[in-house]
Amino acid sequence: MKTVGICIGASTVTMACADKSHDKITILKTKSISHEGNPKKVLLDILRDESVRSADRIAFTGRRLRHFINARTLSEPEAIEEAYGYFRSSQKDGRQKDEGAFLSQGGITPYSMTAGDTDPVTLVSAGGETFMVYYLDPNGRIIDVKSGNKCASGTGEFFLQQIKRMDLSVEAAMEMAALDEPYKVAGRCSVFCKSDCTHALNKGAAKSKVVAGLCKMMAGKIEELLNKKTKAQILLVGGSSSNKIMVKYLKESGLNVIIPSYSHCFEALGAALWAL
């Protein structure tokens, strides 16, 4: 059986295609596309994809927009549980090496199931609209959820807006931010943060410093949601998990951050697995 999971997020539409044959699950394809305020257009393009058209089942998830789709849907927390369960099973039965269940990037410690079998798991979903912290019990079920404030500053979409104002691609922004010290920008309010960025650039501050400052501010937002003294491993998913500079600052703060494979489409993957 072949299934597709689609997550309609605040800034991107993500897709994951899964296949189950002889009790083995294979992830065939993933995709993440920024919808720039027009999710309907991107969604229609994805639905024309041959891998989607040939699927036996399709399931949708997403915070709000999934309710506009006339199809089977599940909530984002349910999708998180499904995706986490798959990776936990991959780790336990030795498929990690074959399927790349968890990655080690930029000095980040690989995922370990040793003591974690009995300890709660902390998972941070850093998306375009908000940051969420999920606490899962040893069975992989969510037992508590903590969300960031409603202010846009520090979110993935706000970061993309600011580097676009500086006429930078994501790749270019990451490269230059890695080479400079961060310029301090306010994180308590998106208006103040935008003003800080504009003021810094007008004073002649290097774009690299401003981008680094934005990444550090985003890391600070995640730190605020977490117990800073925690030594537990933290799984980081969502579009912002690809922000290597933000992850670097999280690591430097003492947090033990792990980036799972398919982190960019974790909820979509969970929807595909649920559809199976």
Side-chain angles (χ1 to χ4, degrees):
M1 177 179 286
K2 181 180 174 183
T3 63
V4 169
I6 297 175
C7 179
I8 310 172
S11 59
T12 60
V13 179
T14 56
M15 179 268 283
C17 181
D19 178 76
K20 186 174 183 179
S21 179
H22 304 295
D23 292 327
K24 180 182 179 182
I25 297 176
T26 305
I27 310 306
L28 302 175
K29 183 178 184 179
T30 65
K31 184 179 290 187
S32 178
I33 303 175
S34 175
H35 60 59
E36 298 181 349
N38 191 354
K40 181 178 179 180
K41 179 182 182 303
V42 173
L43 179 59
L44 289 174
D45 289 341
I46 287 178
L47 292 175
R48 295 186 186 102
D49 190 300
E50 181 55 35
S51 60
V52 178
R53 293 170 63 88
S54 62
D56 298 296
R57 295 175 182 172
I58 303 177
F60 290 84
T61 188
R63 189 170 303 275
R64 291 192 305 267
L65 297 176
R66 75 177 193 277
H67 298 299
F68 295 96
I69 306 298
N70 183 22
R72 295 296 298 273
T73 67
L74 73 163
S75 68
E76 283 184 317
E78 289 175 299
I80 288 286
E81 289 182 343
E82 292 287 345
Y84 172 72
Y86 169 76
F87 286 114
R88 187 176 65 163
S89 297
S90 299
Q91 180 75 10
K92 283 186 173 181
D93 66 17
R95 291 206 308 268
Q96 179 188 1
K97 184 176 181 181
D98 295 334
E99 299 194 20
F102 289 90
L103 299 180
S104 174
Q105 298 179 359
I108 300 169
T109 308
Y111 184 73
S112 169
M113 289 295 294
T114 52
D117 284 339
T118 58
D119 296 337
V121 174
T122 302
L123 186 148
V124 176
S125 178
E129 186 178 54
T130 188
F131 289 171
M132 305 283 293
V133 178
Y134 297 98
Y135 298 97
L136 297 90
D137 66 17
N139 296 316
R141 298 301 177 189
I142 294 171
I143 54 177
D144 196 12
V145 180
K146 189 176 181 181
S147 64
N149 61 42
K150 299 300 181 182
C151 180
S153 69
T155 62
E157 181 65 14
F158 182 81
F159 176 78
L160 294 176
Q161 290 172 359
Q162 298 314 303
I163 63 171
K164 186 175 182 180
R165 289 178 62 229
M166 289 183 263
D167 197 27
L168 295 173
S169 66
V170 174
E171 294 76 15
M174 292 295 100
E175 286 181 10
M176 63 171 54
L179 303 174
D180 219 331
E181 293 298 313
Y183 184 95
K184 187 174 181 179
V185 295
R188 65 189 183 277
C189 170
S190 59
V191 175
F192 291 152
C193 185
K194 183 178 178 180
S195 296
D196 280 354
C197 294
T198 302
H199 184 58
L201 294 169
N202 287 341
K203 287 197 307 179
K207 292 181 180 180
S208 54
K209 289 183 178 292
V210 176
V211 175
L214 287 168
C215 294
K216 189 173 180 63
M217 182 264 292
M218 292 171 70
K221 289 286 187 178
I222 294 176
E223 291 176 55
E224 289 174 9
L225 284 172
L226 297 165
N227 178 357
K228 293 183 179 181
K229 295 181 180 180
T230 182
K231 299 299 180 182
Q233 293 179 324
I234 297 165
L235 302 185
L236 181 64
V237 304
S240 295
S241 65
S242 62
N243 186 325
K244 296 180 180 179
I245 308 304
M246 182 193 79
V247 173
K248 177 178 77 78
Y249 287 128
L250 286 172
K251 185 72 175 178
E252 290 176 352
S253 75
L255 294 172
N256 189 0
V257 181
I258 298 95
I259 311 294
S261 288
Y262 312 115
S263 62
H264 65 289
C265 61
F266 207 70
E267 287 88 346
L269 177 62
L273 295 168
W274 177 77
L276 287 174

